[in-house]
Amino acid sequence: MITYDNPRQLLSNPATVEPGAIRWSSPSNLAIIKYWGKYGQQLPRNPSISLTLDAASTDTTLYYEPKESSDIKGIDLQFLFNGKPREDFAAKVNQFLSSLLPIFPFLEQLSLRIDTTNTFPHSAGIASSASAMSALALCLCSLEDELFASLQEDEAFHQKASFIARLGSGSACRSVYGQAAIWGQLPDLQSSSDFFAIPFGQEMHPVFHSFHDDILFISKAEKSVSSRAGHGLMEGNIYAQNRYEQARSRMHHLLESIRQGDVTTFGEIAEAEALTLHALMMTSTPPYLLLEANTLAAIREIQAFRKESGHPLYFSLDAGPNLHLLYPAEIAYAIQPFIEEVLLPYCTDGQYLPDAVGEGPVQLEAQDE
Ligand code: PMV
């Protein structure tokens, strides 16, 4: 079992640390094969694969300086979301950082301030936890490297960032890589792991490099059942074991379609996975429903459009009512008018986020405090 615990990684003289700041922008991701069901410390019941998004991202700056007094125990954190204090998020981040002390003991020796902003609404089923937790994990790994020069090698840096992001939110571990990432052990992929994600972009057919993933905001309301609760309910779901086997088998076919550039197989599996995810919610005890009437109406429009036009436009869903539209860049000329004329009326305030496969997180110049 990989833990990364390192009780010796303490600053010998914390008072001499120069105040500084680290900033990362990290994207969200859309799982094509879904992770739904976990055990132990955020370990997945089945492997998953996602496309890394471009526009939907979180921009996080981690400011640090020596603690005024070593008498202040635990994590000393100030947390700002969109420039304003958010007590509920602050409490969660504080708890997360405290849980990371065996891995980053030096966090207890510093005063921290986290400033974070999203380019999209949080808790609306757009996996905001994936971008937020990956951005934070990248900041923490950069801080460790800044203080100890311990993560100089790119692969080691990303692997640890993915491991840390996973502890914050499972799906976040896939966001540290551009294009596409796989999380969970697969027998025919030696480097794959339940503990961190691995990049898959290098094996992707070029058609997927510029693939669109536009997000239709069917509803921006917060989810009635959190992902955490949803994963928990899988433990009592009578279909769970079959589901985990199905995910493995679909994974095998999906990887082949991504390698070959087989958009039809890719799209059919993506839609089947989206509906399976929501079927699992509907068959949990107690059952619940995150889809809205407009989600279903828009799905019908997409199916009819595909049939009539022959264009490979497919949909996916996250754990919420919003729709992801998946299609190759070369048919954007035909899809965009369809979105604007037919699908936007189903969206809240007629809004959507045009997005596409992206190159992954970027480290940015931190702004002065
Ligand atoms: O990372 P979590 O715990 O929020 O779970 C997210 C699960 C899905 O987004 C529904 C699927 C996935 O693999 O991202």
Side-chain angles (χ1 to χ4, degrees):
M1 193 170 90
I2 306 168
T3 65
Y4 281 111
D5 287 6
N6 188 353
R8 280 169 301 142
Q9 212 173 43
L10 279 163
L11 297 157
S12 50
N13 196 354
T16 59
V17 170
E18 283 287 320
I22 286 158
R23 180 176 173 204
W24 278 90
S25 169
S26 189
S28 185
N29 68 73
L30 171 78
I32 303 298
I33 301 292
K34 309 287 186 185
Y35 144 64
W36 200 240
K38 63 179 174 180
Y39 68 98
Q41 257 201 319
Q42 303 264 83
L43 295 167
R45 290 282 186 199
N46 64 262
S48 58
I49 178 166
S50 56
L51 298 180
T52 305
L53 300 183
D54 189 36
S57 63
T58 299
D59 185 334
T60 296
T61 306
L62 171 66
Y63 297 93
Y64 59 93
E65 60 185 22
K67 263 187 185 171
E68 271 179 23
S69 153
S70 57
D71 292 344
I72 311 170
K73 294 286 172 230
I75 296 293
D76 179 22
L77 174 72
Q78 213 198 329
F79 181 88
L80 301 178
F81 181 70
N82 290 339
K84 297 194 191 101
R86 272 287 299 246
E87 292 312 321
D88 51 342
F89 288 176
K92 280 189 193 161
V93 174
N94 206 316
Q95 198 182 12
F96 178 52
L97 295 181
S98 303
S99 75
L100 293 179
L101 283 174
I103 304 174
F104 300 123
F106 57 86
L107 289 180
E108 214 173 2
Q109 299 176 295
L110 301 168
S111 281
L112 306 170
R113 192 183 112 195
I114 294 173
D115 254 343
T116 191
T117 54
N118 278 351
T119 58
F120 55 92
H122 70 88
S123 305
I126 313 168
S128 58
S129 61
S131 54
M133 285 301 167
S134 57
L136 180 56
L138 288 157
C139 286
L140 293 169
C141 288
S142 286
L143 177 58
E144 179 194 309
D145 191 48
E146 183 94 13
L147 300 173
F148 299 94
S150 49
L151 290 171
Q152 304 272 294
E153 206 229 320
D154 198 56
E155 195 182 329
F157 177 86
H158 280 87
Q159 192 161 301
K160 185 159 183 178
S162 179
F163 180 96
I164 301 295
R166 183 199 102 232
L167 296 175
S169 164
S171 57
C173 73
R174 298 184 307 243
S175 274
V176 307
Y177 297 107
Q179 298 181 337
I182 291 177
W183 171 37
Q185 213 183 346
L186 281 168
D188 42 4
L189 214 61
Q190 253 206 348
S191 53
S192 60
S193 168
D194 283 353
F195 292 93
F196 48 80
I198 56 167
F200 193 68
Q202 71 286 358
E203 294 204 34
M204 221 153 86
H205 184 277
V207 71
F208 292 109
H209 290 169
S210 54
F211 223 64
H212 279 251
D213 184 339
D214 300 341
I215 305 168
L216 298 182
F217 295 119
I218 301 290
S219 165
K220 289 189 192 168
E222 290 205 21
K223 286 183 276 187
S224 54
V225 179
S226 69
S227 287
R228 181 184 295 268
H231 285 290
L233 290 174
M234 278 302 281
E235 291 307 298
N237 189 308
I238 60 159
Y239 301 109
Q241 288 318 316
N242 284 344
R243 157 61 192 160
Y244 302 140
E245 276 167 42
Q246 175 193 56
R248 274 169 226 284
S249 147
R250 282 182 175 161
M251 189 78 174
H252 182 75
H253 296 296
L254 185 83
L255 294 190
E256 214 30 49
S257 73
I258 293 180
R259 289 186 182 109
Q260 300 301 328
D262 177 354
V263 171
T264 306
T265 303
F266 174 89
E268 286 172 0
I269 297 177
E271 290 192 351
E273 275 291 294
L275 295 178
T276 300
L277 172 67
H278 286 264
L280 290 167
M281 295 175 191
M282 293 179 214
T283 52
S284 291
T285 310
Y288 65 105
L289 197 55
L290 297 184
L291 301 178
E292 296 289 340
N294 277 352
T295 314
L296 300 183
I299 287 177
R300 296 262 187 245
E301 297 281 9
I302 294 163
Q303 288 169 332
F305 173 84
R306 187 165 65 224
K307 201 166 170 199
E308 280 156 28
S309 70
H311 286 309
L313 169 67
Y314 295 92
F315 68 85
S316 183
L317 293 155
D318 244 323
N322 298 316
L323 276 165
H324 287 248
L325 301 178
L326 301 167
Y327 56 95
E330 67 190 28
I331 60 162
Y333 74 91
I335 306 301
Q336 258 137 35
F338 169 65
I339 294 174
E340 271 155 41
E341 284 154 33
V342 179
L343 296 180
L344 286 195
Y346 297 107
C347 297
T348 178
D349 305 327
Q351 276 185 353
Y352 84 113
L353 179 71
D355 209 343
V357 168
E359 293 306 307
V362 273
Q363 188 164 13
L364 303 168
E365 190 79 29
Q367 315 281 319
D368 283 343
E369 274 194 85

